Amino acid sequence: MAQEASSSTSSKTISLKTGDGEIFEIEASAAKQMKTVQRLIDDLGDDITIPLHNVFSKELPKIIEYYKKDITGEITKDFEAEFVKDLNDDEVKVLFLAANYLDANKLFEFLSQNIADRLESKSVEYVRKYFGVENDFTPEEESKLREERAWSFRGIKEDE
Amino acid sequence: MKRPLSSAATSEDRKMKKVKETETDEKFEKIDGVCQKNRGLASFDENMLFEVLKHVDAKTLAMSSCVNKQWHKTGQDERLWELICTKQWANTGCGEQQLRSVVLALGGFRRLHSLYLLPLSKPQTSSSSCSSSSSSSWGPISQQVIRSKPLPRLGKDEVHLSLSLLSIRYYEKMNFNNRNM
């Protein structure tokens, strides 16, 4: 759990409270990596439980796991591959949105690459559903655009 | 990875978006048909979309222009196509900024890619001068190449060729306009 660092900088743990009321602990140095959290600490002090309305108990532990590894400087490609291995597309999306909210840059970058990889060879319909966007093209507009980009539609996987 | 945008600019953008998001805390979004009530997270905004699209491959970027109008606008962004083009290139021997201003003046990276770089990435599917292998053996291999992720690195010659062709196209169009005047 919380390891006492021998350096003079904070070896404290910060309490974070998720939107669904659960409390998690992270080290202050890990909290520093999440700029939103750090801002809240600066405003509220580090003795108070920091409320994170938009992050929930499903995803926060995973985020904490990532930054726990990060502060020891051990994030490798293997670790990152393992980190996302068992996550489905929606779970990654939730983590990505949370990383954005928390202003956790490193995780955000990593997940944007991962989402980009997952989108490879997916259909337009899948992408719309995944991102929750509406199609606002007329059928004519859409078919014209598709025609112009016919080369990009080869090898598209069937939607599950 | 080379990025035309300064990372300072993007994190500043994100900060601005963050202020907006905290103000819309109570907003809920329907994600995948499941009502995420009180989740309060805004769905992907334009900035997040841009960040993801920075990492996609050419096919996905082109396809993304068909998703909706906002995506179309983002999918046409020259900075994203510059990333796509330069990912494939070996050292071009000139500065990034210089290359950028030249390519943008001649029609942009998106055109450069679709007109001249794309044909270079495709395998030879038609029976060319190479008479060794039978045409049927190219079938499954060409399928594989299109789907595989690691792109063939384009050497200096191929880059210069594609840039030359882009210039020629630009000047052809220019001359045509002058003739009509």
Side-chain angles (χ1 to χ4, degrees):
Chain A
M1 271 268 285
Q3 286 156 6
E4 296 291 86
S6 51
S7 65
S8 58
T9 51
S10 39
S11 48
K12 277 187 71 97
T13 56
I14 308 283
S15 296
L16 302 175
K17 187 169 173 188
T18 62
D20 50 347
E22 277 194 49
I23 300 192
F24 295 90
E25 305 275 322
I26 53 163
E27 284 161 64
S29 47
K32 250 202 169 71
Q33 303 299 319
M34 304 182 219
K35 299 209 192 88
T36 304
V37 175
Q38 190 55 51
R39 269 196 293 267
L40 288 166
I41 292 172
D42 293 340
D43 288 343
L44 303 172
D46 54 8
D47 289 322
I48 295 185
T49 303
I50 306 290
L52 299 174
H53 300 300
N54 291 341
V55 186
F56 293 79
S57 51
K58 190 149 191 275
E59 57 265 21
L60 189 57
K62 200 79 175 153
I63 297 172
I64 291 174
E65 179 195 325
Y66 186 85
Y67 277 101
K68 214 172 191 163
K69 201 78 176 179
D70 182 45
I71 55 178
T72 62
E74 281 169 28
I75 293 197
T76 59
K77 289 283 172 206
D78 288 339
F79 171 78
E80 288 185 330
E82 195 60 35
F83 187 79
V84 290
K85 194 176 74 164
D86 296 322
L87 300 175
N88 67 30
D89 290 353
D90 288 322
E91 288 166 334
V92 171
K93 182 173 71 179
V94 168
L95 276 176
F96 182 65
L97 290 166
N100 183 53
Y101 172 76
L102 293 171
D103 207 347
N105 194 49
K106 201 161 180 180
L107 183 61
F108 183 85
E109 291 289 326
F110 164 53
L111 292 176
S112 54
Q113 175 70 63
N114 191 247
I115 290 180
D117 294 339
R118 285 166 190 258
L119 292 180
E120 200 183 329
S121 298
K122 288 293 203 302
S123 68
V124 173
E125 290 75 18
Y126 182 91
V127 171
R128 281 179 190 144
K129 189 159 160 271
Y130 185 70
F131 288 88
V133 295
E134 292 274 328
N135 177 17
D136 53 1
F137 289 126
T138 65
E140 297 78 31
E141 286 171 338
E142 187 175 341
S143 61
K144 179 164 177 273
L145 288 170
R146 282 180 184 249
E147 240 181 79
E148 288 168 359
R149 291 157 181 75
W151 59 272
S152 67
F153 286 92
R154 268 186 250 135
I156 297 294
K157 295 192 201 125
E158 284 287 319
D159 288 356
E160 275 145 35
Chain B
M1 193 173 90
K2 278 197 289 179
R3 275 185 219 161
L5 283 178
S6 71
S7 38
T10 42
S11 59
E12 229 179 301
D13 279 349
R14 259 189 269 148
K15 271 195 205 131
M16 289 193 336
K17 303 282 179 191
K18 207 61 43 57
V19 173
K20 268 192 233 163
E21 268 171 0
T22 43
E23 284 165 19
T24 56
D25 252 2
E26 298 312 302
K27 184 174 153 194
F28 62 89
E29 285 284 339
K30 242 188 174 175
I31 302 169
D32 268 4
V34 176
C35 205
Q36 304 270 350
K37 195 172 183 178
N38 293 329
R39 254 195 177 262
L41 290 168
S43 56
F44 283 80
D45 60 22
E46 204 168 305
N47 179 60
M48 290 168 79
L49 171 60
F50 190 87
E51 291 296 318
V52 172
L53 289 180
K54 268 191 194 164
H55 302 282
V56 297
D57 62 355
K59 270 171 74 177
T60 310
L61 185 57
M63 178 274 283
S64 70
S65 286
C66 303
V67 171
N68 74 4
K69 290 184 179 162
Q70 184 205 29
W71 279 62
H72 182 260
K73 186 168 138 233
T74 310
Q76 305 280 84
D77 195 314
E78 280 296 320
R79 293 170 296 181
L80 291 172
W81 284 102
E82 181 180 343
L83 283 170
I84 298 277
C85 293
T86 52
K87 251 187 266 187
Q88 274 184 278
W89 292 353
N91 180 26
T92 52
C94 76
E96 195 178 288
Q97 184 54 50
Q98 191 182 30
L99 182 69
R100 185 180 303 139
S101 28
V102 168
V103 174
L104 290 178
L106 293 174
F109 286 96
R110 194 176 61 85
R111 271 201 198 89
L112 177 66
H113 180 272
S114 69
L115 293 172
Y116 306 116
L117 295 181
L118 190 61
L120 291 175
S121 326
K122 280 188 194 154
Q124 303 289 324
T125 46
S126 57
S127 45
S128 50
S129 51
C130 184
S131 54
S132 44
S133 43
S134 63
S135 50
S136 58
S137 68
W138 281 106
I141 297 170
S142 62
Q143 280 277 63
Q144 249 176 305
V145 176
I146 288 173
R147 258 188 244 129
S148 70
K149 190 124 204 260
L151 286 166
R153 295 276 289 175
L154 299 179
K156 237 179 184 167
D157 290 340
E158 284 135 326
V159 172
H160 289 172
L161 172 65
S162 55
L163 290 172
S164 305
L165 290 171
L166 188 70
S167 322
I168 291 168
R169 180 180 175 271
Y170 177 82
Y171 283 106
E172 276 181 339
K173 291 200 162 222
M174 210 172 77
N175 283 335
F176 186 75
N177 287 335
N178 281 340
R179 259 184 259 136
N180 283 346
M181 287 168 114

